[in-house]
Amino acid sequence: MVGISETAEVTHEYDEAGDEVNLIFRGSDELVLTCTRRGFALLSEAVADANRELITREA
């Protein structure tokens, strides 16, 4: 399990050769999450679902 602070800086890089996306989280430490394009799409969908759930709970 990894904790990501709300103050972390997040950047990304796309590696054409490997067809991979690198998400780079920089805070007190650095975390690099590498995933394929399809893996990135799945991650994006999961984040969107979680965000919708959080918005619903706040309403």
Side-chain angles (χ1 to χ4, degrees), residues 2-58:
V2 175
I4 299 171
S5 167
E6 64 230 18
T7 60
E9 177 187 328
V10 183
T11 57
H12 68 280
E13 299 170 352
Y14 176 66
D15 176 12
E16 266 187 69
D19 196 27
E20 295 176 332
V21 176
N22 298 315
L23 295 174
I24 303 144
F25 300 85
R26 288 187 181 95
S28 56
D29 292 314
E30 181 174 288
L31 167 71
V32 178
L33 175 64
T34 300
C35 48
T36 63
R37 188 187 301 221
R38 178 66 185 136
F40 183 73
L42 291 171
L43 178 61
S44 297
E45 290 169 14
V47 169
D49 288 346
N51 191 44
R52 278 190 291 278
E53 185 175 324
L54 288 172
I55 290 170
T56 301
R57 288 183 182 191
E58 290 175 358

